[in-house]
Amino acid sequence: MTLYTTLDSPLGELLLVGEESATAPGGTALASLSVPDQKGGATVRDDWRYDPAAFAEIARQLAAYFDGTLTRFRIEYADAAVTGGTDFQRRVWQALESIPYGVTTTYGRIAADIGAARGAVRAIGTAIGANPLLVVRPCHRVIAADGSLSGYAGGPQRKRQLLGLEGAVESAPAGRDRSAS
């Protein structure tokens, strides 16, 4: 059964979508985490069940992250979040998981890490943009080679917020953000 809840956060109201799981802490595996007005974000469907209690452990971890006391999530992902997407997208998403808290990397570095050609940076950006698990699968830690924040499905201001929270960037000049990628 697909479950969902909303959660207030410094980024706005988050939409959490999950699946019941006997192995996940708290009993729910996360399938999607979306922010308001997210490009490609999830929308609630009629056949989903609203169940805030099912997301208590995930909400606890998110609160600790936003408070600055959690630097690594321990959240089970639903099968769709792991096996969804193309093989290329899954390789990119796996690379995102290895970017440490407070550290940024570039699209080109991700390309090298997964064995893709350096010219694949646009495809890397597209795969990152399809990440269904904003915040917990840290796509916000990927920046352009010139240091600009570049694209983020949740918007450049939220990317700046997340990187600032992690101490990865103090403040990037607004003119340097590029919202396409």
Side-chain angles (χ1 to χ4, degrees), residues 23-38:
T23 58
T28 303
L30 190 63
S32 174
L33 189 157
S34 301
V35 298
D37 303 318
Q38 175 184 327

Side-chain angles (χ1 to χ4, degrees), residues 6-170:
T6 57
L7 180 68
D8 287 334
S9 83
L11 303 177
E13 186 177 72
L14 305 178
L15 172 61
L16 284 67
V17 181
E19 301 289 333
E20 293 174 325
S21 169
T23 58
T28 303
L30 190 63
S32 174
L33 189 157
S34 301
V35 298
D37 303 318
Q38 175 184 327
K39 182 176 154 185
T43 55
V44 176
R45 294 180 19 184
D46 290 338
D47 59 336
W48 293 357
R49 187 177 83 221
Y50 180 71
D51 189 350
F55 293 89
E57 174 57 21
I58 296 168
R60 184 197 65 74
Q61 289 188 46
L62 285 165
Y65 170 79
F66 288 122
D67 287 344
T69 58
L70 181 79
T71 60
R72 182 162 178 78
F73 291 100
R74 288 172 178 46
I75 295 172
E76 182 178 308
Y77 299 152
D79 288 343
V82 176
T83 62
T86 66
D87 178 61
F88 181 78
Q89 287 172 325
R90 288 190 302 273
R91 288 176 25 228
V92 170
W93 298 342
Q94 186 174 20
L96 294 176
E97 297 281 353
S98 69
I99 306 169
Y101 179 93
V103 174
T104 60
T105 192
T106 65
Y107 296 92
R109 182 75 245 160
I110 294 285
D113 289 349
I114 68 165
R118 179 131 178 91
V121 293
R122 283 193 184 274
I124 299 290
T126 300
I128 290 171
N131 172 21
L133 299 167
L134 267 61
V135 182
V136 298
R137 184 183 283 150
C139 53
H140 59 276
R141 297 178 187 156
V142 182
I143 61 173
D146 68 1
S148 63
L149 296 187
S150 194
Y152 184 62
Q157 180 57 36
R158 288 190 181 105
K159 185 171 190 169
R160 184 180 295 110
Q161 275 183 274
L162 290 167
L163 292 174
L165 170 78
E166 295 182 8
V169 73
E170 282 188 38

